[in-house]
Amino acid sequence: MAGYVGRQGRKPKPTALKLLTGNPGKRAINEDEPKPKAKMPACPEQLQGEARKEWHRMGKKLHALGLVTEIDKAALTVYCQAWGRWAEAEVNLQKYGPVIFSKAGIPIQSPYMSIANRALELMMKALVEFGMSPSSRSRVKVDKPEEVDEFEQLMKAGRA
């Protein structure tokens, strides 16, 4: 039977990350896990400014490691949008400070502090999904790229 099988307990690690870490727990690999094509999805039009820049910056890196697929658009969008909101909030915190004053002259926390903190929470959750936090990355192993022999490439190109 196809479909999602719910369970309680710790959220399972995606197979791609499990394989990159060498499956340290030696748990069975889900052979029936969907295997979407490793392809960088198109950047959503809704992402603008810093969020859009982050999509292209991190997307290239994740794609090169084989950690982003054609169906990861929503998850990567969440990360990038949170990044963009955090960046904008930080600019405003630097401009106005973490404490502002009400009309009555009472000091209150800047609303940008709440925006920045919430964006950081969302970013950290998304970072772990893609193995982008220091602790999750420390468990990921990637194949080293092959050394490129330029002479051999030229010889192959000449034979084509």
mmCIF file with all atom_site columns, all heavy atoms in Angstrom, residues 108-130:
data_model
loop_
_atom_site.group_PDB
_atom_site.id
_atom_site.type_symbol
_atom_site.label_atom_id
_atom_site.label_alt_id
_atom_site.label_comp_id
_atom_site.label_asym_id
_atom_site.label_entity_id
_atom_site.label_seq_id
_atom_site.pdbx_PDB_ins_code
_atom_site.Cartn_x
_atom_site.Cartn_y
_atom_site.Cartn_z
_atom_site.occupancy
_atom_site.B_iso_or_equiv
_atom_site.pdbx_formal_charge
_atom_site.auth_seq_id
_atom_site.auth_comp_id
_atom_site.auth_asym_id
_atom_site.auth_atom_id
_atom_site.pdbx_PDB_model_num
ATOM 1   N N   . ILE A 1 108 ? 9.744  49.867 25.083 1.00 0.00 ? 108 ILE A N   1
ATOM 2   C CA  . ILE A 1 108 ? 9.189  48.551 24.737 1.00 0.00 ? 108 ILE A CA  1
ATOM 3   C C   . ILE A 1 108 ? 10.129 47.866 23.744 1.00 0.00 ? 108 ILE A C   1
ATOM 4   O O   . ILE A 1 108 ? 10.931 48.521 23.078 1.00 0.00 ? 108 ILE A O   1
ATOM 5   C CB  . ILE A 1 108 ? 7.761  48.644 24.133 1.00 0.00 ? 108 ILE A CB  1
ATOM 6   C CG1 . ILE A 1 108 ? 7.771  49.540 22.887 1.00 0.00 ? 108 ILE A CG1 1
ATOM 7   C CG2 . ILE A 1 108 ? 6.761  49.128 25.156 1.00 0.00 ? 108 ILE A CG2 1
ATOM 8   C CD1 . ILE A 1 108 ? 6.453  49.567 22.133 1.00 0.00 ? 108 ILE A CD1 1
ATOM 9   N N   . GLN A 1 109 ? 10.007 46.555 23.659 1.00 0.00 ? 109 GLN A N   1
ATOM 10  C CA  . GLN A 1 109 ? 10.818 45.793 22.695 1.00 0.00 ? 109 GLN A CA  1
ATOM 11  C C   . GLN A 1 109 ? 10.387 46.140 21.283 1.00 0.00 ? 109 GLN A C   1
ATOM 12  O O   . GLN A 1 109 ? 9.202  46.225 20.989 1.00 0.00 ? 109 GLN A O   1
ATOM 13  C CB  . GLN A 1 109 ? 10.643 44.295 22.929 1.00 0.00 ? 109 GLN A CB  1
ATOM 14  C CG  . GLN A 1 109 ? 11.417 43.445 21.940 1.00 0.00 ? 109 GLN A CG  1
ATOM 15  C CD  . GLN A 1 109 ? 11.251 41.966 22.209 1.00 0.00 ? 109 GLN A CD  1
ATOM 16  O OE1 . GLN A 1 109 ? 11.660 41.489 23.241 1.00 0.00 ? 109 GLN A OE1 1
ATOM 17  N NE2 . GLN A 1 109 ? 10.644 41.273 21.280 1.00 0.00 ? 109 GLN A NE2 1
ATOM 18  N N   . SER A 1 110 ? 11.345 46.331 20.427 1.00 0.00 ? 110 SER A N   1
ATOM 19  C CA  . SER A 1 110 ? 11.074 46.614 19.028 1.00 0.00 ? 110 SER A CA  1
ATOM 20  C C   . SER A 1 110 ? 10.342 45.434 18.390 1.00 0.00 ? 110 SER A C   1
ATOM 21  O O   . SER A 1 110 ? 10.700 44.272 18.632 1.00 0.00 ? 110 SER A O   1
ATOM 22  C CB  . SER A 1 110 ? 12.381 46.847 18.278 1.00 0.00 ? 110 SER A CB  1
ATOM 23  O OG  . SER A 1 110 ? 12.169 46.835 16.890 1.00 0.00 ? 110 SER A OG  1
ATOM 24  N N   . PRO A 1 111 ? 9.329  45.690 17.562 1.00 0.00 ? 111 PRO A N   1
ATOM 25  C CA  . PRO A 1 111 ? 8.656  44.587 16.867 1.00 0.00 ? 111 PRO A CA  1
ATOM 26  C C   . PRO A 1 111 ? 9.621  43.848 15.934 1.00 0.00 ? 111 PRO A C   1
ATOM 27  O O   . PRO A 1 111 ? 9.425  42.675 15.639 1.00 0.00 ? 111 PRO A O   1
ATOM 28  C CB  . PRO A 1 111 ? 7.536  45.258 16.086 1.00 0.00 ? 111 PRO A CB  1
ATOM 29  C CG  . PRO A 1 111 ? 7.755  46.713 16.171 1.00 0.00 ? 111 PRO A CG  1
ATOM 30  C CD  . PRO A 1 111 ? 8.710  46.978 17.280 1.00 0.00 ? 111 PRO A CD  1
ATOM 31  N N   . TYR A 1 112 ? 10.679 44.513 15.510 1.00 0.00 ? 112 TYR A N   1
ATOM 32  C CA  . TYR A 1 112 ? 11.661 43.850 14.663 1.00 0.00 ? 112 TYR A CA  1
ATOM 33  C C   . TYR A 1 112 ? 12.412 42.756 15.409 1.00 0.00 ? 112 TYR A C   1
ATOM 34  O O   . TYR A 1 112 ? 12.888 41.793 14.804 1.00 0.00 ? 112 TYR A O   1
ATOM 35  C CB  . TYR A 1 112 ? 12.653 44.868 14.083 1.00 0.00 ? 112 TYR A CB  1
ATOM 36  C CG  . TYR A 1 112 ? 11.989 45.831 13.136 1.00 0.00 ? 112 TYR A CG  1
ATOM 37  C CD1 . TYR A 1 112 ? 11.906 47.182 13.443 1.00 0.00 ? 112 TYR A CD1 1
ATOM 38  C CD2 . TYR A 1 112 ? 11.420 45.389 11.947 1.00 0.00 ? 112 TYR A CD2 1
ATOM 39  C CE1 . TYR A 1 112 ? 11.281 48.066 12.580 1.00 0.00 ? 112 TYR A CE1 1
ATOM 40  C CE2 . TYR A 1 112 ? 10.794 46.268 11.080 1.00 0.00 ? 112 TYR A CE2 1
ATOM 41  C CZ  . TYR A 1 112 ? 10.725 47.606 11.400 1.00 0.00 ? 112 TYR A CZ  1
ATOM 42  O OH  . TYR A 1 112 ? 10.101 48.473 10.551 1.00 0.00 ? 112 TYR A OH  1
ATOM 43  N N   . MET A 1 113 ? 12.510 42.878 16.727 1.00 0.00 ? 113 MET A N   1
ATOM 44  C CA  . MET A 1 113 ? 13.149 41.833 17.530 1.00 0.00 ? 113 MET A CA  1
ATOM 45  C C   . MET A 1 113 ? 12.322 40.550 17.459 1.00 0.00 ? 113 MET A C   1
ATOM 46  O O   . MET A 1 113 ? 12.860 39.454 17.263 1.00 0.00 ? 113 MET A O   1
ATOM 47  C CB  . MET A 1 113 ? 13.302 42.296 18.984 1.00 0.00 ? 113 MET A CB  1
ATOM 48  C CG  . MET A 1 113 ? 14.013 41.291 19.863 1.00 0.00 ? 113 MET A CG  1
ATOM 49  S SD  . MET A 1 113 ? 15.754 41.112 19.459 1.00 0.00 ? 113 MET A SD  1
ATOM 50  C CE  . MET A 1 113 ? 16.400 42.538 20.270 1.00 0.00 ? 113 MET A CE  1
ATOM 51  N N   . SER A 1 114 ? 11.016 40.670 17.570 1.00 0.00 ? 114 SER A N   1
ATOM 52  C CA  . SER A 1 114 ? 10.133 39.497 17.476 1.00 0.00 ? 114 SER A CA  1
ATOM 53  C C   . SER A 1 114 ? 10.206 38.873 16.090 1.00 0.00 ? 114 SER A C   1
ATOM 54  O O   . SER A 1 114 ? 10.244 37.642 15.950 1.00 0.00 ? 114 SER A O   1
ATOM 55  C CB  . SER A 1 114 ? 8.689  39.883 17.783 1.00 0.00 ? 114 SER A CB  1
ATOM 56  O OG  . SER A 1 114 ? 8.572  40.352 19.100 1.00 0.00 ? 114 SER A OG  1
ATOM 57  N N   . ILE A 1 115 ? 10.221 39.700 15.061 1.00 0.00 ? 115 ILE A N   1
ATOM 58  C CA  . ILE A 1 115 ? 10.305 39.203 13.686 1.00 0.00 ? 115 ILE A CA  1
ATOM 59  C C   . ILE A 1 115 ? 11.620 38.463 13.486 1.00 0.00 ? 115 ILE A C   1
ATOM 60  O O   . ILE A 1 115 ? 11.646 37.350 12.933 1.00 0.00 ? 115 ILE A O   1
ATOM 61  C CB  . ILE A 1 115 ? 10.158 40.360 12.679 1.00 0.00 ? 115 ILE A CB  1
ATOM 62  C CG1 . ILE A 1 115 ? 8.750  40.950 12.753 1.00 0.00 ? 115 ILE A CG1 1
ATOM 63  C CG2 . ILE A 1 115 ? 10.485 39.889 11.264 1.00 0.00 ? 115 ILE A CG2 1
ATOM 64  C CD1 . ILE A 1 115 ? 8.574  42.273 12.022 1.00 0.00 ? 115 ILE A CD1 1
ATOM 65  N N   . ALA A 1 116 ? 12.721 39.045 13.942 1.00 0.00 ? 116 ALA A N   1
ATOM 66  C CA  . ALA A 1 116 ? 14.040 38.413 13.787 1.00 0.00 ? 116 ALA A CA  1
ATOM 67  C C   . ALA A 1 116 ? 14.100 37.088 14.538 1.00 0.00 ? 116 ALA A C   1
ATOM 68  O O   . ALA A 1 116 ? 14.571 36.085 13.998 1.00 0.00 ? 116 ALA A O   1
ATOM 69  C CB  . ALA A 1 116 ? 15.140 39.360 14.275 1.00 0.00 ? 116 ALA A CB  1
ATOM 70  N N   . ASN A 1 117 ? 13.597 37.066 15.771 1.00 0.00 ? 117 ASN A N   1
ATOM 71  C CA  . ASN A 1 117 ? 13.652 35.844 16.567 1.00 0.00 ? 117 ASN A CA  1
ATOM 72  C C   . ASN A 1 117 ? 12.811 34.728 15.955 1.00 0.00 ? 117 ASN A C   1
ATOM 73  O O   . ASN A 1 117 ? 13.230 33.574 15.907 1.00 0.00 ? 117 ASN A O   1
ATOM 74  C CB  . ASN A 1 117 ? 13.211 36.116 18.005 1.00 0.00 ? 117 ASN A CB  1
ATOM 75  C CG  . ASN A 1 117 ? 14.248 36.907 18.769 1.00 0.00 ? 117 ASN A CG  1
ATOM 76  O OD1 . ASN A 1 117 ? 15.420 36.946 18.406 1.00 0.00 ? 117 ASN A OD1 1
ATOM 77  N ND2 . ASN A 1 117 ? 13.814 37.565 19.831 1.00 0.00 ? 117 ASN A ND2 1
ATOM 78  N N   . ARG A 1 118 ? 11.619 35.044 15.470 1.00 0.00 ? 118 ARG A N   1
ATOM 79  C CA  . ARG A 1 118 ? 10.760 34.027 14.851 1.00 0.00 ? 118 ARG A CA  1
ATOM 80  C C   . ARG A 1 118 ? 11.388 33.511 13.551 1.00 0.00 ? 118 ARG A C   1
ATOM 81  O O   . ARG A 1 118 ? 11.360 32.310 13.271 1.00 0.00 ? 118 ARG A O   1
ATOM 82  C CB  . ARG A 1 118 ? 9.363  34.598 14.587 1.00 0.00 ? 118 ARG A CB  1
ATOM 83  C CG  . ARG A 1 118 ? 8.417  33.618 13.959 1.00 0.00 ? 118 ARG A CG  1
ATOM 84  C CD  . ARG A 1 118 ? 8.111  32.467 14.900 1.00 0.00 ? 118 ARG A CD  1
ATOM 85  N NE  . ARG A 1 118 ? 7.223  31.532 14.223 1.00 0.00 ? 118 ARG A NE  1
ATOM 86  C CZ  . ARG A 1 118 ? 7.358  30.219 14.248 1.00 0.00 ? 118 ARG A CZ  1
ATOM 87  N NH1 . ARG A 1 118 ? 8.329  29.672 14.947 1.00 0.00 ? 118 ARG A NH1 1
ATOM 88  N NH2 . ARG A 1 118 ? 6.535  29.447 13.597 1.00 0.00 ? 118 ARG A NH2 1
ATOM 89  N N   . ALA A 1 119 ? 11.965 34.406 12.776 1.00 0.00 ? 119 ALA A N   1
ATOM 90  C CA  . ALA A 1 119 ? 12.626 33.995 11.532 1.00 0.00 ? 119 ALA A CA  1
ATOM 91  C C   . ALA A 1 119 ? 13.800 33.068 11.837 1.00 0.00 ? 119 ALA A C   1
ATOM 92  O O   . ALA A 1 119 ? 14.018 32.086 11.120 1.00 0.00 ? 119 ALA A O   1
ATOM 93  C CB  . ALA A 1 119 ? 13.078 35.219 10.749 1.00 0.00 ? 119 ALA A CB  1
ATOM 94  N N   . LEU A 1 120 ? 14.544 33.354 12.902 1.00 0.00 ? 120 LEU A N   1
ATOM 95  C CA  . LEU A 1 120 ? 15.658 32.489 13.294 1.00 0.00 ? 120 LEU A CA  1
ATOM 96  C C   . LEU A 1 120 ? 15.163 31.089 13.658 1.00 0.00 ? 120 LEU A C   1
ATOM 97  O O   . LEU A 1 120 ? 15.797 30.091 13.298 1.00 0.00 ? 120 LEU A O   1
ATOM 98  C CB  . LEU A 1 120 ? 16.428 33.092 14.468 1.00 0.00 ? 120 LEU A CB  1
ATOM 99  C CG  . LEU A 1 120 ? 17.357 34.245 14.135 1.00 0.00 ? 120 LEU A CG  1
ATOM 100 C CD1 . LEU A 1 120 ? 17.919 34.862 15.411 1.00 0.00 ? 120 LEU A CD1 1
ATOM 101 C CD2 . LEU A 1 120 ? 18.472 33.794 13.222 1.00 0.00 ? 120 LEU A CD2 1
ATOM 102 N N   . GLU A 1 121 ? 14.044 31.000 14.360 1.00 0.00 ? 121 GLU A N   1
ATOM 103 C CA  . GLU A 1 121 ? 13.471 29.695 14.712 1.00 0.00 ? 121 GLU A CA  1
ATOM 104 C C   . GLU A 1 121 ? 13.137 28.902 13.454 1.00 0.00 ? 121 GLU A C   1
ATOM 105 O O   . GLU A 1 121 ? 13.470 27.720 13.350 1.00 0.00 ? 121 GLU A O   1
ATOM 106 C CB  . GLU A 1 121 ? 12.211 29.873 15.557 1.00 0.00 ? 121 GLU A CB  1
ATOM 107 C CG  . GLU A 1 121 ? 12.446 30.357 16.957 1.00 0.00 ? 121 GLU A CG  1
ATOM 108 C CD  . GLU A 1 121 ? 11.134 30.654 17.691 1.00 0.00 ? 121 GLU A CD  1
ATOM 109 O OE1 . GLU A 1 121 ? 10.061 30.171 17.256 1.00 0.00 ? 121 GLU A OE1 1
ATOM 110 O OE2 . GLU A 1 121 ? 11.186 31.361 18.709 1.00 0.00 ? 121 GLU A OE2 1
ATOM 111 N N   . LEU A 1 122 ? 12.466 29.549 12.505 1.00 0.00 ? 122 LEU A N   1
ATOM 112 C CA  . LEU A 1 122 ? 12.095 28.874 11.261 1.00 0.00 ? 122 LEU A CA  1
ATOM 113 C C   . LEU A 1 122 ? 13.331 28.466 10.466 1.00 0.00 ? 122 LEU A C   1
ATOM 114 O O   . LEU A 1 122 ? 13.380 27.372 9.902  1.00 0.00 ? 122 LEU A O   1
ATOM 115 C CB  . LEU A 1 122 ? 11.193 29.767 10.413 1.00 0.00 ? 122 LEU A CB  1
ATOM 116 C CG  . LEU A 1 122 ? 9.797  30.036 10.958 1.00 0.00 ? 122 LEU A CG  1
ATOM 117 C CD1 . LEU A 1 122 ? 9.087  31.089 10.116 1.00 0.00 ? 122 LEU A CD1 1
ATOM 118 C CD2 . LEU A 1 122 ? 8.995  28.750 11.008 1.00 0.00 ? 122 LEU A CD2 1
ATOM 119 N N   . MET A 1 123 ? 14.321 29.342 10.417 1.00 0.00 ? 123 MET A N   1
ATOM 120 C CA  . MET A 1 123 ? 15.552 29.029 9.688  1.00 0.00 ? 123 MET A CA  1
ATOM 121 C C   . MET A 1 123 ? 16.238 27.808 10.283 1.00 0.00 ? 123 MET A C   1
ATOM 122 O O   . MET A 1 123 ? 16.683 26.932 9.552  1.00 0.00 ? 123 MET A O   1
ATOM 123 C CB  . MET A 1 123 ? 16.528 30.203 9.699  1.00 0.00 ? 123 MET A CB  1
ATOM 124 C CG  . MET A 1 123 ? 16.219 31.255 8.671  1.00 0.00 ? 123 MET A CG  1
ATOM 125 S SD  . MET A 1 123 ? 17.545 32.468 8.412  1.00 0.00 ? 123 MET A SD  1
ATOM 126 C CE  . MET A 1 123 ? 18.121 32.863 10.026 1.00 0.00 ? 123 MET A CE  1
ATOM 127 N N   . MET A 1 124 ? 16.334 27.736 11.605 1.00 0.00 ? 124 MET A N   1
ATOM 128 C CA  . MET A 1 124 ? 17.027 26.619 12.236 1.00 0.00 ? 124 MET A CA  1
ATOM 129 C C   . MET A 1 124 ? 16.318 25.301 11.943 1.00 0.00 ? 124 MET A C   1
ATOM 130 O O   . MET A 1 124 ? 16.972 24.288 11.694 1.00 0.00 ? 124 MET A O   1
ATOM 131 C CB  . MET A 1 124 ? 17.156 26.836 13.745 1.00 0.00 ? 124 MET A CB  1
ATOM 132 C CG  . MET A 1 124 ? 18.171 27.904 14.108 1.00 0.00 ? 124 MET A CG  1
ATOM 133 S SD  . MET A 1 124 ? 19.804 27.708 13.331 1.00 0.00 ? 124 MET A SD  1
ATOM 134 C CE  . MET A 1 124 ? 20.340 26.159 13.990 1.00 0.00 ? 124 MET A CE  1
ATOM 135 N N   . LYS A 1 125 ? 15.010 25.306 11.932 1.00 0.00 ? 125 LYS A N   1
ATOM 136 C CA  . LYS A 1 125 ? 14.275 24.078 11.609 1.00 0.00 ? 125 LYS A CA  1
ATOM 137 C C   . LYS A 1 125 ? 14.549 23.656 10.168 1.00 0.00 ? 125 LYS A C   1
ATOM 138 O O   . LYS A 1 125 ? 14.750 22.478 9.886  1.00 0.00 ? 125 LYS A O   1
ATOM 139 C CB  . LYS A 1 125 ? 12.775 24.284 11.825 1.00 0.00 ? 125 LYS A CB  1
ATOM 140 C CG  . LYS A 1 125 ? 12.408 24.362 13.291 1.00 0.00 ? 125 LYS A CG  1
ATOM 141 C CD  . LYS A 1 125 ? 10.924 24.604 13.470 1.00 0.00 ? 125 LYS A CD  1
ATOM 142 C CE  . LYS A 1 125 ? 10.598 24.704 14.954 1.00 0.00 ? 125 LYS A CE  1
ATOM 143 N NZ  . LYS A 1 125 ? 9.180  24.972 15.191 1.00 0.00 ? 125 LYS A NZ  1
ATOM 144 N N   . ALA A 1 126 ? 14.577 24.613 9.259  1.00 0.00 ? 126 ALA A N   1
ATOM 145 C CA  . ALA A 1 126 ? 14.830 24.298 7.853  1.00 0.00 ? 126 ALA A CA  1
ATOM 146 C C   . ALA A 1 126 ? 16.288 23.897 7.633  1.00 0.00 ? 126 ALA A C   1
ATOM 147 O O   . ALA A 1 126 ? 16.574 23.014 6.820  1.00 0.00 ? 126 ALA A O   1
ATOM 148 C CB  . ALA A 1 126 ? 14.465 25.493 6.976  1.00 0.00 ? 126 ALA A CB  1
ATOM 149 N N   . LEU A 1 127 ? 17.210 24.514 8.344  1.00 0.00 ? 127 LEU A N   1
ATOM 150 C CA  . LEU A 1 127 ? 18.626 24.179 8.201  1.00 0.00 ? 127 LEU A CA  1
ATOM 151 C C   . LEU A 1 127 ? 18.871 22.701 8.483  1.00 0.00 ? 127 LEU A C   1
ATOM 152 O O   . LEU A 1 127 ? 19.620 22.038 7.767  1.00 0.00 ? 127 LEU A O   1
ATOM 153 C CB  . LEU A 1 127 ? 19.473 25.020 9.166  1.00 0.00 ? 127 LEU A CB  1
ATOM 154 C CG  . LEU A 1 127 ? 19.615 26.503 8.855  1.00 0.00 ? 127 LEU A CG  1
ATOM 155 C CD1 . LEU A 1 127 ? 20.291 27.219 10.020 1.00 0.00 ? 127 LEU A CD1 1
ATOM 156 C CD2 . LEU A 1 127 ? 20.381 26.721 7.584  1.00 0.00 ? 127 LEU A CD2 1
ATOM 157 N N   . VAL A 1 128 ? 18.229 22.195 9.527  1.00 0.00 ? 128 VAL A N   1
ATOM 158 C CA  . VAL A 1 128 ? 18.411 20.798 9.909  1.00 0.00 ? 128 VAL A CA  1
ATOM 159 C C   . VAL A 1 128 ? 17.878 19.868 8.822  1.00 0.00 ? 128 VAL A C   1
ATOM 160 O O   . VAL A 1 128 ? 18.483 18.836 8.525  1.00 0.00 ? 128 VAL A O   1
ATOM 161 C CB  . VAL A 1 128 ? 17.732 20.523 11.270 1.00 0.00 ? 128 VAL A CB  1
ATOM 162 C CG1 . VAL A 1 128 ? 17.703 19.041 11.585 1.00 0.00 ? 128 VAL A CG1 1
ATOM 163 C CG2 . VAL A 1 128 ? 18.455 21.290 12.372 1.00 0.00 ? 128 VAL A CG2 1
ATOM 164 N N   . GLU A 1 129 ? 16.781 20.238 8.188  1.00 0.00 ? 129 GLU A N   1
ATOM 165 C CA  . GLU A 1 129 ? 16.199 19.408 7.135  1.00 0.00 ? 129 GLU A CA  1
ATOM 166 C C   . GLU A 1 129 ? 17.171 19.176 5.986  1.00 0.00 ? 129 GLU A C   1
ATOM 167 O O   . GLU A 1 129 ? 17.176 18.117 5.377  1.00 0.00 ? 129 GLU A O   1
ATOM 168 C CB  . GLU A 1 129 ? 14.912 20.040 6.587  1.00 0.00 ? 129 GLU A CB  1
ATOM 169 C CG  . GLU A 1 129 ? 13.762 20.053 7.567  1.00 0.00 ? 129 GLU A CG  1
ATOM 170 C CD  . GLU A 1 129 ? 13.280 18.657 7.952  1.00 0.00 ? 129 GLU A CD  1
ATOM 171 O OE1 . GLU A 1 129 ? 13.228 17.775 7.071  1.00 0.00 ? 129 GLU A OE1 1
ATOM 172 O OE2 . GLU A 1 129 ? 12.968 18.460 9.135  1.00 0.00 ? 129 GLU A OE2 1
ATOM 173 N N   . PHE A 1 130 ? 17.981 20.161 5.678  1.00 0.00 ? 130 PHE A N   1
ATOM 174 C CA  . PHE A 1 130 ? 18.927 20.053 4.574  1.00 0.00 ? 130 PHE A CA  1
ATOM 175 C C   . PHE A 1 130 ? 20.352 19.755 5.043  1.00 0.00 ? 130 PHE A C   1
ATOM 176 O O   . PHE A 1 130 ? 21.290 19.786 4.256  1.00 0.00 ? 130 PHE A O   1
ATOM 177 C CB  . PHE A 1 130 ? 18.925 21.347 3.744  1.00 0.00 ? 130 PHE A CB  1
ATOM 178 C CG  . PHE A 1 130 ? 17.694 21.525 2.913  1.00 0.00 ? 130 PHE A CG  1
ATOM 179 C CD1 . PHE A 1 130 ? 16.715 22.433 3.278  1.00 0.00 ? 130 PHE A CD1 1
ATOM 180 C CD2 . PHE A 1 130 ? 17.511 20.777 1.756  1.00 0.00 ? 130 PHE A CD2 1
ATOM 181 C CE1 . PHE A 1 130 ? 15.578 22.604 2.506  1.00 0.00 ? 130 PHE A CE1 1
ATOM 182 C CE2 . PHE A 1 130 ? 16.375 20.938 0.978  1.00 0.00 ? 130 PHE A CE2 1
ATOM 183 C CZ  . PHE A 1 130 ? 15.407 21.848 1.353  1.00 0.00 ? 130 PHE A CZ  1
#
